[in-house]
Amino acid sequence: MIIVLDFGGQYNQLIARRVREANVYCEVHPCTLSIDKIKEMAPKGIILTGGPNSVYDPASPHCDKALFELGIPVLGICYGAQLMAWMLGGRVETAPVSEYGRTDIQISRNGRLFGSVSENTVGWMSHTDYISEPPAGFIVTAKTDVCPAAAIEDDGREFYAVQFHPEVTHTEEGGKILSAFVKGPCGCSGSWKMDDFVEQTIREIRKKVGSGKALCALSGGVDSSVAAVLMSKAIGRQLTCVFVDHGLLRKGEADGVDRVFGPDGPYDLNFVHVDAHERFYAKLEGVAEPEEKRKIIGEEFIRVFEEEAKKIGAVDYLVQGTIYPDVIESGLGDSAVIKSHHNVGGLPDHVDFKEIIEPLRMLFKDEVRAAGLELGIPEELVYRQPFPGPGLGIRIIGAVTPEKVRIVQEADAIYREEIANAGLDRELNQYFAALSNMRSVGVMGDFRTYDYAVMLRAVKTSDFMTAEAAEIPWDVQQKIMNRIVNEVDGVNRVLYDLTSKPPGTIEME
């Protein structure tokens, strides 16, 4: 295992993602993780992440200096590199010029991390401070025109630091650098596979639950479906799966979930279908603020589950399909909150269960799919379109109404149908229709209209933490637009969202 200590950078989970691409298991923990806990976990290596602070600011997050006395290889990235240098006696100060974005880096051949990296490569920089004087025992292994110590190493103590971000795709050979660290100084074999995760997780669930009962929040999406089957493999009929139709699902979604997971489906689940759409609509009436909508949906989900649990009898555990991007975006350690996911930051303070089990909490989306295939779940379910827990509530800008839900359902069904007809459904990682809060003048036939604008979104991504807008052929877009405008009442305009992530998020809210 490699431990990543989080110092507040927003995309620190990408470090774990890149390490796992080298088939080495990796977990992210807050920088406040105690030395005793680190010893107990016995990692092969430790990575210190980036962050927004200055190490010389007394209020900035630091780690225990004993970390550097454990005899474990340590890699510092950006803020983590500066922190290592600062705590070991080097100097860190404000750079004469801030570096941000793709930067040319000159590599020294005496660096252990750079043996397979080009002498002149490109790295992604994002800093205003820099290491002006490395600590004793370190050598400089890379530099830029601005940063005289873009990378430093003390190979004797197995301490390594890079000012740039090898975890992002903009760093051309970043994967090689991270792989060199985990397979070099750390001595990891690179043999971790998804079947290891599945087997280990099933053992851990059995041990935790024992003879208790668990209630799974099953939405029918990829994440909750994999979580449900994983739990079922572990504890069998001790699991009850509750599907809540909050009235914010895609067209035909509820019927589809019933077919797959209901009593006539292929899985031996205690399946309960709860129709709660009127309850959710009432709670959401007039609410336009995105975070407030998420919080309301999250709390109402929990209340429904609590009520169903009481009907079943004593239930000890609530199971959710939370995945790693949900955890990170909802805030980990000192990281900023992008948006509260209903199954993470959207939970109410009091939950009437002994504990929440999130068996997929440490997995990225593609890893969840791999786990699903390992569990024997059919490809058509494993590769279905991702769908957020709050559903269409966060694909409708502004207040939610039954009429707006109808519009999004109809437009989205057309969009998905035409994408599939064009053979693009497996090329795009996520695509959906959303409803703007904008109404504009149009003309249909000889009549003036004043209706809504539907927004289409399609992205390509491997980890769902960064994404690029997909290029959909113009003729396909035109066909989709014509069908939506002509077939969906209340719509007279269709827009395509070109925004990448960052600066946008994949969902609208």
Side-chain angles (χ1 to χ4, degrees), residues 398-415:
V400 174
T401 68
E403 174 66 6
K404 290 181 179 179
V405 171
R406 178 197 62 78
I407 290 173
V408 179
Q409 287 177 331
E410 296 292 339
D412 184 72
I414 291 170
Y415 188 27

Side-chain angles (χ1 to χ4, degrees), residues 248 279-301 337-342 345-348 390 393-394 396-400 508-509:
L248 302 169
R279 177 173 175 170
F280 278 84
Y281 286 173
K283 288 282 186 179
L284 290 168
E285 186 174 359
V287 178
E289 204 280 319
E291 275 294 282
E292 190 177 354
K293 285 196 288 187
R294 285 178 173 272
K295 297 284 187 181
I296 289 170
I297 294 169
E299 177 158 358
E300 205 61 20
F301 258 108
V337 174
I338 296 177
K339 55 189 178 184
S340 294
H341 289 259
H342 83 282
L347 290 175
I394 58 171
I396 295 172
I397 307 301
V400 174
M508 292 294 126
E509 295 189 335

Side-chain angles (χ1 to χ4, degrees), residues 157-283:
R157 291 185 289 177
E158 296 185 314
F159 296 154
Y160 309 87
V162 294
Q163 180 63 71
F164 53 93
H165 289 268
E167 71 271 25
V168 302
T169 54
H170 303 295
T171 295
E172 291 179 345
E173 299 175 272
K176 292 180 181 179
I177 296 168
L178 289 171
S179 182
F181 173 68
V182 300
K183 294 182 178 178
C186 299
C188 297
S189 64
S191 60
W192 181 74
K193 298 288 191 293
M194 186 49 64
D195 56 353
D196 298 331
F197 169 84
V198 169
E199 292 172 8
Q200 178 184 342
T201 302
I202 288 174
R203 288 195 300 269
E204 290 174 351
I205 291 169
R206 284 176 180 158
K207 182 179 178 181
K208 177 186 286 289
V209 176
S211 60
K213 292 184 178 180
L215 184 66
C216 180
L218 177 59
S219 71
V222 177
D223 305 332
S224 66
S225 297
V226 173
V229 175
L230 186 60
M231 290 295 299
S232 179
K233 294 273 189 182
I235 62 173
R237 302 289 290 183
Q238 292 168 247
L239 173 70
T240 297
C241 291
V242 176
F243 167 58
V244 177
D245 181 358
H246 50 21
L248 302 169
L249 299 172
R250 290 173 288 204
K251 185 177 181 179
E253 191 86 35
D255 292 339
V257 172
D258 283 345
R259 282 195 301 273
V260 174
F261 292 104
D264 297 327
Y267 301 104
D268 185 22
L269 300 176
N270 293 316
F271 179 77
V272 178
H273 181 150
V274 182
D275 184 353
H277 71 277
E278 290 186 2
R279 177 173 175 170
F280 278 84
Y281 286 173
K283 288 282 186 179

